[in-house]
Amino acid sequence: MFVSFEGLDGSGKSTQAELLRARLEAEGRQVVSTREPGGTELGERIRDLVLHGGHVGPWAEALLYAASRAQHVEEVIRPALARGASVICDRYVDSSVAYQGVGRGLGLERVLDLNLTAVGGLLPDRTFLLLIEPSQVSQRLPGDHDRLESESDDFHSRAADGYRELASRFSDRIVVLEGTRPAEELAEEVYGALR
Ligand code: TYD
């Protein structure tokens, strides 16, 4: 089983990924919990370049995220699925489609195609999309903001539009949840949807 969590920064997706990991492990399942950008040594270096470096142009950004993802799939995700582990990924292809495809205006189709090529067509079995208002992004994040988190409300609004478009296009795969609901309640719903 391959599950991903998606949403704007501060939507609570990382908390839900962690709650699901704990629950599946408590059932005795083997779980690989990972994140993007990152998840491999190369990916963590790309993460640093893209989030904490200087200016990165829109296509360079899309290609760096896709490169990190390609490595992640080859090195971590496919091998884990092949040995029968469950994979929980905090962000995946949908993040690039929402943020780079729609947020940066590169085009939903073009960024989706790029990413499907990068991952050899591997999509999650289920994706949980946690919705929050774009204006909540800066309020819900503590401390220093990275390059993407520091973007305007407009950028986050466009990314949210991208997510909504993906949810209607991939309605069999993507489960939409209200990110402002209590974490424990959301965790129950996530678990229920997987059973
Ligand atoms: P994330 O790891 O969720 O941030 P943090 O660990 O700081 O909570 O994601 C980092 C940022 O990268 C986030 O603002 C969204 C952005 N991002 C993209 O724009 N495209 C992508 O493909 C991915 C995976 C992330």
Side-chain angles (χ1 to χ4, degrees):
M1 182 170 66
F2 177 19
V3 177
S4 65
F5 285 88
E6 293 283 353
L8 297 179
D9 291 306
S11 60
K13 64 187 170 41
S14 307
T15 303
Q16 289 306 318
E18 175 52 25
L19 290 171
L20 180 64
R21 180 197 62 77
R23 190 145 185 186
L24 294 180
E25 279 183 358
E27 284 180 344
R29 289 174 199 273
Q30 204 194 334
V31 181
V32 172
S33 183
T34 182
R35 69 165 183 182
E36 290 197 351
T40 63
E41 194 189 328
L42 177 64
E44 291 297 333
R45 287 165 74 176
I46 293 175
R47 179 185 179 89
D48 204 42
L49 283 174
V50 85
L51 294 180
H52 306 292
H55 172 73
V56 182
W59 271 110
E61 185 178 275
L63 289 160
L64 285 168
Y65 280 117
S68 166
R69 184 164 297 127
Q71 187 74 12
H72 195 205
V73 166
E74 182 188 308
E75 213 178 296
V76 177
I77 300 178
R78 278 196 198 275
L81 294 172
R83 62 175 188 269
S86 297
V87 174
I88 300 174
C89 198
D90 186 346
R91 297 194 179 281
Y92 189 62
V93 167
D94 301 306
S95 280
S96 280
V97 177
Y99 285 84
Q100 281 67 53
V102 183
R104 296 286 188 218
L106 298 180
L108 186 152
E109 294 302 335
R110 286 204 286 178
V111 174
L112 181 59
D113 283 352
L114 166 72
N115 276 275
L116 288 174
T117 304
V119 301
L122 180 69
L123 285 175
D125 299 304
R126 272 288 173 284
T127 296
F128 295 96
L129 170 60
L130 291 147
L131 292 183
I132 56 165
E133 286 300 320
S135 59
Q136 291 183 297
V137 169
S138 45
Q139 295 162 24
R140 295 186 70 159
L141 291 178
D144 293 342
H145 294 179
D146 65 38
R147 202 175 55 81
L148 273 279
E149 287 164 355
S150 310
E151 280 287 344
S152 64
D153 283 359
D154 269 5
F155 173 74
H156 291 114
S157 287
R158 288 193 299 274
D161 292 343
Y163 272 133
R164 276 191 289 271
E165 221 168 311
L166 282 165
S168 69
R169 175 149 169 186
F170 295 103
S171 56
D172 288 350
R173 172 172 63 86
I174 302 180
V175 177
V176 180
L177 299 169
E178 198 53 61
T180 48
R181 288 168 54 204
E184 290 300 332
E185 206 179 295
L186 287 168
E188 278 306 314
E189 203 162 318
V190 165
Y191 186 70
L194 292 175
R195 299 200 77 192

